[in-house]
Amino acid sequence: MSSFQFDKFSLAGVIDEETEFIPLMTTEDEEVMNQEKTPDQLAILPLRNTVLFPGVVIPITVGRDKSIKLIQDANKGDKTIGVVSQKDDQIEDPDISQVHEIGTIARILKMFRMPDGNTTVIIQGKKRFKLLDFVETEPYIKANVAPYEVHKAPSDEKFNALVSSIKDMALRIIEQSPNIPTEASFAIKNIESSSFLINFIASNMNAEVIHKQELLEEPSSQKRAELLLKYINKELTLLELKNDIQSKVKVDIDKQQKEYFLNQQMKLIQEELGGNPQDQEIKEFERLAKKKKWSKTVKERFDKELSKLQRMNSASAEYSVQVNYIETLLDLPWNEYSEDIFDLKRAKKILDRDHFGLDDVKERIIEHLAVLKLKGNMRSPILCLYGPPGVGKTSLGKSIAEAIGRKYVRMSLGGLRDEAEVRGHRKTYIGAMPGRILQNLKKAKTSNPVFVLDEIDKIGNDFHGDPSSAMLEVLDPEQNGKFNDNFVELDYDLSKVLFIATANSLSTIQAALRDRMEIIEINGYTLEEKVQIAKKHLIPKLIRENGLKQGQIEITKEVIEKVCDEYTRESGVRTLEKRLSKIVRFAAKSIAMDEEYDIKISLDKVNDILGPGHSKDKYQGNDVAGVVTGLAWTSVGGDILFIEVSLSKGKGKLTLTGNLGDVMKESAMIALEYIRAHSEEFGINIDTFDNWNVHIHVPEGATPKDGPSAGITILTALVSAFTQRKVKNRLAMTGEITLRGRVLPVGGIKEKILAAKRADIKEIILSIDNKKDVDQIKPNYLKGLKFIYVKEMKEVLGEALLKAKVKEPLRIV
């Protein structure tokens, strides 16, 4: 290993394909460089293991996306950048605390792409600067900088003698090292400037980054020269020792003798430096293993793998794989558990503080804690929070973790397609690692965290396997006590982990997986709940995030209700938060620009800030026969829809329009057949069906519609059209029908009731089996609504149709 690291760039400048030559820096060049003004702001390029000194030309290979973008932009511009050294070369995207404060202004001399795809750039240091703060981090770092003043090199004899000693010692190192080119000594002999000589040798010496950074930051030329002399003196001593070792170990060179020679050489150097790194690493593993709480089986496996590592050659490819495996065993929190907090009142207080409503979920968590407190131990349940977007399913996991005093980890499953992401890779593969389940436990450093499996309904599958099938073992309380990861190859106990899955739809979850979870449905919020959530959570949070203080804006209940009604269509509160954020930002802008504004936001001002809102779900009246209001469930909440029936003379053809799905079309055919079968009871001539065409339409044709819940609505609209009887005013209905005339229950009752309230509906017809769903809703949310529960279609028609007729019923002529 050479004591210096010279290359063609650092020796004599840059020689490219056209033999363009940039000479070493002269004293005049240095004076010109020092007189250059330091910019107020620079694009910053962090270097992992290199320190750039003023005047020195070095090549660097750029691999990070941010760095490549910075170099490309700078090369097109003034070619000036700021270069700083990272404190830790393992960090991919450092912040200001992870880079050194003092850096070097650099000029890009040349940039080209290497055959391996990386970008190589030749840069020359100019002068030092001090890093103040980052002003931008995207697409790359930009920072405010200030000049960093250094003392001018003294011209006394003591300093000259010091520089001469540095030059002589550097030349001795070059002479004694066979790997350094002869041009190195020529370059050093021809450097005129003493400060550039110090920078040149400091840049090329084989020292750690921290020592080179120390030389860069030293403002005194005298002290900088003394430090450099100390470092190269150490290098010269090491080089002489190395040459001495080589002279002692010279033998005839064949393959075995050469390996022996190199090992002896390495051993003697390591003894001088304090020991064999491999032995030190193994001792460190043994020290860490003594602190682990693992079982006998795991300990035996660890000892076996560590013994295997000791027998390996550290230069072999298998060595790094074995080290990775042992480090994984040490990093996993075997039998390490955080202590649960059994203060149920505190837990309830935290859950109520963070989330308004969600009573079923909170009650289930409190039940779990109560059993855990009484029994002392139990298998953690697998909860699945199911509901529309934005109702707080994911954030609930954080609150639960805080409530019971456990660590919180979250794993997003959306788009997961590889089974190895769950179970890990076999360690025989290159780049093998544990699955994300165990990786997250390593981060949590405990074996009983609250583990949120986000978007479990969006797991995919491809030729790499089916991740949802791999999750069956993870989410089975009877099996996950011995979860087997392909990389670890040992049973790991997941039974103490509190898994909480979230899903927007249960239909896409594998049946076996769904069976392993306890489904807790989270319905959309009512208007009253949204108002309370906005007042207690969203508005205080938005005021903090936008830099306002209490008293600088007041958003009343009426404003929140207006935003909910006219600017959002959702079950959750995400869109509501966006709209309220815009109102808060309006106040922030007014304060920042010293503009006058009303602290109390008026209803008219909402329109100015947010623009025109969408109209509420409007009830269209009952003046026309054949039009009935239905209730529908959508992914963003409830909605009302209108079933329209038109009759025209023809041959009994049935036409369905409005972008209807197969199930909804079947409901229309069932309804028509039921009316045919009971035409006498409804006062309809049987010949009417053969002489009149029936057209059923559901408005808003661009929106797909499907499901069985419009069955009673379609049947009522058909009977109304055939008999020309009006439908009761302010009435809506939902329910599935059968050929026998039975009314079956449907889902999404809460969301549908909210839609009915928005449309000012007064009466709702439901199946008798849906009464239990209505009973679960708080009574104060049902004010102003009357519910009519039915079993048969005849009851629906009796309640919905009035005796009054729009015109004479159809007659066959």
Side-chain angles (χ1 to χ4, degrees), residues 712-766:
I712 65 171
T713 315
I714 294 173
L715 193 143
T716 305
L718 285 169
V719 174
S720 174
F722 278 119
T723 62
Q724 290 298 301
R725 291 169 62 184
K726 291 184 178 181
V727 179
K728 187 185 293 185
N729 193 31
R730 300 289 173 186
L731 174 76
M733 59 186 71
T734 182
E736 183 180 355
I737 60 171
T738 70
L739 277 175
R740 294 178 296 161
R742 293 286 306 277
V743 180
L744 303 182
V746 292
I749 296 300
K750 184 177 180 181
E751 285 80 2
K752 291 175 179 178
I753 290 174
L754 296 180
K757 288 195 72 173
R758 287 199 300 268
D760 201 22
I761 297 293
K762 303 300 183 185
E763 295 182 66
I764 299 177
I765 298 178
L766 299 167

Side-chain angles (χ1 to χ4, degrees), residues 28-38 127:
E28 291 77 17
D29 295 335
E30 189 176 15
E31 290 178 359
V32 172
M33 181 184 72
N34 290 332
Q35 291 173 2
E36 291 179 4
K37 184 179 179 182
T38 300
K127 58 190 300 186

